[in-house]
Amino acid sequence: MSYPDQVPARRPAAVTTAVTLLGLMALAAGVYAVTTLLALGGTIDRFRAAAAGTAADPGDVDGVVRLLRFSTIGAAVLTVLVALLLVGLAGGLLARRRAARIGVWTVCGLGLLAGGCALVALVGQRARPLRLGAGDQGVADLFGTLGDAYPSWWLPVNGAVSVAQALGYLAVAGLLMLPPAHAWFATRRSVPPASAPPHPAAPWAYPVSDLPHGAAAPVPPTSEPPPGAAASAPPPR
């Protein structure tokens, strides 16, 4: 017997596209994290060379370098964790889990917020450099030097990544809100009821091959009289 409800519905194109976008975003996040780590060494070297021509204290220079290393490595680790989360959510969407759909919407909202804040901070850093008091002018000069120590592609790539991240999250969230995706996640796949096992007291329900060697096959009970019973019965008076 076939159970048509057991066959899963065809996955909508909106869900497939959303899963593909999540995979591409996870891959891009991994590449970005590796790229920032590879560029860290050159940035530190250029910063130290530029800071040597200022009146900044060597201890302040080392402090800025430690801050740069900590922030860059921390951001790379966080980016890799987000990429793994996106891969896990994509797998949940393929498995037709409603919780994964809700999780994607949550991550999209947080991603939009984080990407917007990063873009504003990046533009603000270039438009208005850090200004400190007169006693901390050396530290302010160091941070200005640090901005120039980044590679020339740093600012446009970060801006493009932030914009692409926001657009990707918006696209994924919108695709999962479409009616075909909603109907696909709302439909439950029914499982056919399992057949009840034979009763232990009914040996005729088991295959003959399971009986002991030489044993006769049991005959199931019946309500009909056995053959010859009608002939042996006494005639009515």
Side-chain angles (χ1 to χ4, degrees):
M1 176 183 289
S2 62
Y3 296 89
D5 292 340
Q6 187 181 6
V7 180
R10 188 181 186 90
R11 186 188 312 121
V15 178
T16 303
T17 306
V19 171
T20 304
L21 286 177
L22 287 176
L24 292 176
M25 292 170 64
L27 179 61
V31 172
Y32 177 78
V34 173
T35 304
T36 53
L37 291 177
L38 293 177
L40 178 60
T43 302
I44 292 178
D45 293 339
R46 287 188 294 270
F47 170 71
R48 286 190 179 277
T54 64
D57 186 83
D60 294 335
V61 175
D62 294 337
V64 174
V65 169
R66 285 193 298 270
L67 178 62
L68 176 61
R69 282 190 180 131
F70 177 79
S71 59
T72 303
I73 295 175
V77 171
L78 181 61
T79 302
V80 172
L81 292 178
V82 171
L84 295 176
L85 177 60
L86 294 179
V87 171
L89 291 174
L93 293 180
L94 291 177
R96 207 173 180 180
R97 295 192 179 99
R98 299 180 184 178
R101 186 184 180 210
I102 298 174
V104 168
W105 283 334
T106 304
V107 171
C108 288
L110 295 177
L112 285 172
L113 179 61
C117 292
L119 184 61
V120 170
L122 189 64
V123 173
Q125 180 182 0
R126 288 293 184 179
R128 185 165 185 161
L130 180 65
R131 298 183 182 276
L132 300 176
D136 297 326
Q137 189 59 39
V139 178
D141 293 340
L142 286 180
F143 278 103
T145 303
L146 177 61
D148 297 332
Y150 283 103
S152 58
W153 51 265
W154 182 261
L155 181 61
V157 166
N158 276 269
V161 167
S162 298
V163 173
Q165 177 186 9
L167 294 178
Y169 283 131
L170 282 174
V172 170
L175 287 170
L176 294 180
M177 290 179 182
L178 293 178
H182 178 74
W184 191 69
F185 282 102
T187 304
R188 286 286 188 180
R189 290 176 292 179
S190 60
V191 180
S195 58
H199 195 275
W204 55 83
Y206 295 93
V208 179
S209 58
D210 295 341
L211 296 176
H213 180 68
V219 179
T222 177
S223 59
E224 299 179 357
S232 61
R237 294 181 180 270

